[in-house]
Amino acid sequence: MITDKSTITPLKALARLRSQQGDAVAFVQPLGGGELREYTWKQVDEEARKIAAYLQSIGMQKGDHVALVSKNCAEWIITDVAIWMAGGVSVPLYPTLVAETVRQILEHSESKFLFVGKLDDWDIMKAGVPDGVQQIALSLAPADVLKDFPKWPDIIRDTAPLLEVNAPALTDLATIVYTSGTTGMPKGVMHDFEGLSTVGEKMIKLYDLKPDGRMISYLPLSHVAERVAVEIAVLYVGNKIFFAESLDTFGEDIKRAQPTVFFAVPRIWSKFYQKASEALPPKKLNLLLKIPIVNKIIKKKILGAMGLDECRIALSGAAALSPEIIAWFKKLDLEILEGYGMTENLAWSHSTEEGDQQIGWVGTPNDGVECRIGDGGEILVRSVGNLKGYYKQPDKTAEDLTEDGWLHTGDVGEIDGKGRLRITGRVKEIFKTEKGKYVAPAPIENRLSTMPGLELACVIGQGMGQPVALLNLTPEEQERLSKDGEKERFNKELEKLLARVNEELDPHERLTTLIVCKDAWTVENNLITPTLKLKRNEIEKRYGDAIVRWSKTRGVVWEA
C-alpha cells in the first residue's frame, strides 16, 4: 500500500484535535426526553483515556480483542478510541444480531471483553455471550446491563486517565469487522491503522469536509461505511456529529443536525421520496416547479421537511438507487452522488463527482484505487483500503485477495470510456431462467421499490420460465390496507407498476407476477441483513414451492 508520508493514526489525529480545538463541540448526544449532552474534543479524549486505563486495570493486554455492541452514540466512538489507546483490537457487532451470531463472532474473534451499550433488544442477544467474557455497560445500556456490570459513569468518575497511551504503528491491526453476511457465517475482515487513516484523510479531500460541517450518525457504526465516513473522518477534520435517538425521533434528530453532508442507503432515500410524493405527487410538483416565483420556495420547503435544506453533499451507497429517485431529488437541486465500496475495502472504491453524474453508474475510482473487469465480468479492485485478510481464514483470504493485491468483489459490472463503473449484479445472485437467459435481479428490484408503500422487492426466477417478484409492504401501507377499498386501489397501482416496469425490461427479464407477502422481512426473522440487504437464499427457502404456484397466476397475487 502506498501511504502519504503525512498520514497519522486516528489516536494522533485526536490528540491534534484536543490541542487545536479542545473546547469545540465534537458530539451532540440525545439522552431521551429532549435532553442533550454535548461533548467537546477535550472531553472525548479525556473519557477515552479513562476507559483505556480501566481496560488495562482489569487485565487487558496489548493485542487483546475487545468487542463492542451498541446502537450509535458518542460512547461508541469513545470506546473504539479507548480500545486502541489501551493497545487492543476492536471488534464491532451489529446491534440487531441474534444470540447465535453473537456467540459465533465472540468465540471466533477470541474477544475477552465486551462493551454493551444502547440496544433495543438485549434479551435476544445476551445468551450468546460466552462465559468468561468481561462485560462493561455504556451509559445508555439496557437497565439489566447497568445493574449487572461495571458502568461507564462510575468508571469515568473513579478512574484516572491513561497518561501514556498506546502508539500503534500504521501496520498494526486496528479492527476486525465481521461482514453482515447474506449467506453463512460472517467473515472477520482485518483492517490496520494504515488503511483507516489513509482512507479517512482521503475522504476529507474527496468531499471537501470542513471543521464547521455537520453530520448525523444513524446508520450502524459497526458497518465500515458509517465508521469511516463518521468516526474516522471526523478525527481528521473535526466537524460536529449529531447522533439520532431512535427511529421514532429521526425526523426531529435530522432537523436538529441540519447536516451539511448526509449519507443514506437507498431504502432511506426511497422513504423520503415516498413520503414527499404522498404529500405532493410528482405531477403536481413538476407543475409548481415551472412557476418562477414558487420554484425556490417549494424546493426549500420540501428539503426543509426532510431536514436537508442545508445539505451540501448527499450520498447514497450499499446498493443501487433508483434512477427515478435520483431524478426527483435533482429537480430539488439536491444531487445524490452514488458511491461503491464494501467491508473488504473500507467502502473506499468508487465515487460520483459533482456534475459528473451518470444515472446507473457509481462513479470513477477514488484516489489510490485501481479497477478492472475480470473473468465472468467480475469487478476487481486494488485499493488503499483493501483488507489485510480474513481472521483465521487463510484459504478464504487467498480466494478473495490475489497475491498482487486485487480484491475479488463478487460484483459484476462494466467500465465506460471515462472510467465510470456500473454494477450489473452479483456473481452469485445472477440467475438463469429455463430458457437459458441470465437475469440480474437488483436493477429490476430498484425499479419496483420506488412505488410508495413498498418496502423491499426480491426478484426470483432460477430455472423458471420468467422471473417473478416478491414484495414487502411498509408498516404504514399494511395499516392503510385494512380500510375499505384500499386493497383494491393498491392492487390497481401494483398492476400499473408491473406494466410500467416490464416496458423497460428485455423480454427475458419481464415479470409475470408480483407477489405481496403478508409478513415483514426483518433482521430478526433472518430475511434481511443488519445493513438491510436481502438474504435471497433465506427468502427463497421461506416461500419455497409456493413461488412456483403463485407464478402461474399472471398479475398480482396476495399471500393468504
Side-chain angles (χ1 to χ4, degrees), residues 338-365:
E338 290 194 271
Y340 169 65
M342 54 200 302
T343 303
E344 281 81 352
N345 57 26
L346 287 173
W348 188 252
S349 181
H350 288 67
S351 299
T352 301
E353 294 184 22
E354 289 183 89
D356 190 40
Q357 188 181 65
Q358 178 77 6
I359 291 179
W361 300 71
V362 295
T364 53

Side-chain angles (χ1 to χ4, degrees), residues 232-247:
I232 303 302
V234 74
L235 291 174
Y236 289 90
V237 74
N239 56 291
K240 189 184 295 185
I241 303 297
F242 292 76
F243 291 91
E245 183 175 350
S246 67
L247 282 175

Side-chain angles (χ1 to χ4, degrees), residues 82-311:
I83 293 167
W84 294 333
M85 284 181 169
V89 175
S90 63
V91 182
L93 276 68
Y94 283 97
T96 51
L97 298 178
V98 296
E100 180 185 358
T101 311
V102 170
R103 182 173 295 277
Q104 284 179 330
I105 293 174
L106 292 180
E107 289 182 343
H108 185 266
S109 67
E110 303 173 278
S111 293
K112 298 180 179 179
F113 307 88
L114 172 65
F115 285 86
V116 181
K118 184 180 178 184
L119 295 168
D120 289 333
D121 204 344
W122 172 240
D123 286 342
I124 69 170
M125 307 178 79
K126 62 185 181 183
V129 181
D131 293 340
V133 173
Q134 296 188 61
Q135 298 177 63
I136 303 150
L138 304 189
S139 299
L140 297 175
D144 55 339
V145 178
L146 290 169
K147 176 171 62 81
D148 294 339
F149 305 117
K151 297 184 284 294
W152 185 285
D154 295 343
I155 295 169
I156 297 300
R157 183 193 64 216
D158 300 334
T159 309
L162 190 66
L163 297 178
E164 294 295 326
V165 302
N166 175 51
L170 288 171
T171 53
D172 284 350
L173 181 62
T175 189
I176 303 173
V177 183
Y178 280 81
T179 61
S180 54
T182 54
T183 59
M185 165 69 190
K187 302 184 294 291
V189 179
M190 297 187 292
H191 285 294
D192 60 15
F193 286 100
E194 187 173 31
L196 288 174
S197 55
T198 304
V199 170
E201 290 183 333
K202 288 182 181 296
M203 188 166 291
I204 294 169
K205 297 173 184 175
L206 177 64
Y207 297 118
D208 192 25
L209 302 181
K210 304 288 188 185
D212 61 355
R214 300 178 300 280
M215 291 183 180
I216 180 167
S217 179
Y218 69 102
L219 295 171
L221 276 164
S222 43
H223 188 274
V224 293
E226 182 84 354
R227 194 172 178 198
V228 172
V230 174
E231 176 189 359
I232 303 302
V234 74
L235 291 174
Y236 289 90
V237 74
N239 56 291
K240 189 184 295 185
I241 303 297
F242 292 76
F243 291 91
E245 183 175 350
S246 67
L247 282 175
D248 293 337
T249 65
F250 183 71
E252 300 167 26
D253 295 330
I254 191 171
K255 288 175 186 175
R256 179 191 303 117
Q258 291 286 293
T260 55
V261 178
F262 181 70
F263 173 73
V265 294
R267 191 175 179 185
I268 302 296
W269 289 116
S270 180
K271 282 182 177 292
F272 276 142
Y273 167 76
Q274 290 177 4
K275 194 167 184 179
S277 295
E278 288 174 2
L280 185 63
K283 285 185 179 179
K284 188 174 180 180
L285 173 63
N286 290 338
L287 289 173
L288 291 173
L289 291 179
K290 291 177 181 178
I291 305 172
I293 298 176
V294 177
N295 183 290
K296 287 186 178 180
I297 297 172
I298 287 293
K299 290 176 181 177
K300 187 168 182 62
K301 187 173 182 180
I302 294 173
L303 291 176
M306 299 175 188
L308 297 177
D309 48 325
E310 296 290 326
C311 186

Side-chain angles (χ1 to χ4, degrees), residues 501-549:
V501 169
N502 276 340
E503 284 178 4
E504 301 169 351
L505 300 176
D506 291 333
H508 71 280
E509 298 175 308
R510 289 173 187 159
L511 306 168
T512 60
T513 316
L514 298 182
I515 302 155
V516 184
C517 301
K518 64 181 181 179
D519 295 328
W521 301 343
T522 65
V523 175
E524 289 73 24
N525 62 21
N526 201 36
L527 297 183
I528 61 173
T529 72
T531 50
L532 312 182
K533 294 177 183 175
L534 300 171
K535 288 194 171 184
R536 297 179 186 277
N537 58 330
E538 294 296 333
I539 290 173
E540 290 192 46
K541 190 189 305 180
R542 166 131 180 184
Y543 296 102
D545 295 338
I547 296 172
V548 177
R549 185 176 73 251

Side-chain angles (χ1 to χ4, degrees), residues 364-440:
T364 53
N366 295 335
D367 183 25
V369 175
E370 300 170 80
C371 180
R372 62 182 174 88
I373 304 299
D375 295 339
E378 184 181 14
I379 299 164
L380 302 179
V381 171
R382 187 156 59 184
S383 167
V384 295
N386 275 6
L387 75 165
K388 303 302 106 187
Y390 295 107
Y391 185 60
K392 297 196 297 191
Q393 289 186 286
D395 292 345
K396 182 62 178 170
T397 300
E399 181 184 330
D400 286 4
L401 195 63
T402 67
E403 289 186 6
D404 55 350
W406 288 94
L407 173 67
H408 287 270
T409 66
D411 289 315
V412 177
E414 57 183 294
I415 300 171
D416 72 3
K418 291 187 175 182
R420 289 177 297 210
L421 178 67
R422 183 163 79 99
I423 315 295
T424 56
R426 289 284 294 168
V427 172
K428 294 179 181 178
E429 288 180 357
I430 293 174
F431 58 80
K432 188 191 289 187
T433 66
E434 68 177 8
K435 298 172 185 176
K437 297 281 190 177
Y438 286 97
V439 175

